[in-house]
Amino acid sequence: FDYLPMIVYRDYQNPNKTFDGYINFMLATHTFNDATTGQNTTCRYWSYINPANENSDFWMQLMLARMIFIFSFQNISWAMARIIELMVGNTPAYVRQRMVLEETLAQEWLS
């Protein structure tokens, strides 16, 4: 599920072309005030509603990668379905044989 963000992060965000720092980069943060201690605490969590770095170029590249993947998957699957449809006849063999037989019987009857 997470392979497209990983590929985009590795190729465009990390200068070393590794996955170092990927988890911290992808986690969203929320800072809240702890009432018992009076200190600010930062919580890191996985979020699809308010993702980390959502306004960066990374998210635009990720959306582009997702759209390209969906478009290519859709068109490749459509093309494969059409190729299989062309390879497989739409009339069964026994029906074709019966049509030939009826055609020859009709020609014999008319002549």
Side-chain angles (χ1 to χ4, degrees):
F1 177 72
D2 208 24
Y3 62 94
L4 278 176
M6 289 176 74
I7 291 170
V8 172
Y9 175 80
R10 182 192 65 200
D11 292 343
Y12 297 107
Q13 292 294 63
N14 195 337
N16 299 331
K17 302 294 183 199
T18 63
F19 295 114
D20 295 338
Y22 171 72
I23 298 295
N24 284 332
F25 181 78
M26 291 300 291
L27 292 177
T29 59
H30 178 70
T31 304
F32 59 94
N33 188 0
D34 190 359
T36 58
T37 62
Q39 295 179 352
N40 286 338
T41 305
T42 300
C43 176
R44 297 185 65 79
Y45 61 97
W46 190 263
S47 174
Y48 292 105
I49 297 171
N50 185 20
N53 305 314
E54 68 178 321
N55 295 325
S56 68
D57 289 338
F58 172 76
W59 290 104
M60 290 298 138
Q61 293 168 349
L62 180 58
M63 289 299 125
L64 179 64
R66 286 178 176 164
M67 287 175 47
I68 289 171
F69 174 77
I70 290 170
F71 181 75
S72 60
F73 182 78
Q74 173 187 351
N75 287 318
I76 288 171
S77 61
W78 177 83
M80 292 302 294
R82 295 302 167 254
I83 289 170
I84 291 171
E85 186 178 305
L86 290 173
M87 289 173 32
V88 176
N90 59 353
T91 307
Y94 69 91
V95 173
R96 283 194 306 260
Q97 291 172 354
R98 183 66 185 204
M99 289 169 58
V100 169
L101 176 64
E102 288 178 0
E103 182 69 28
T104 55
L105 289 175
Q107 286 183 2
E108 287 178 7
W109 183 72
L110 290 174
S111 54

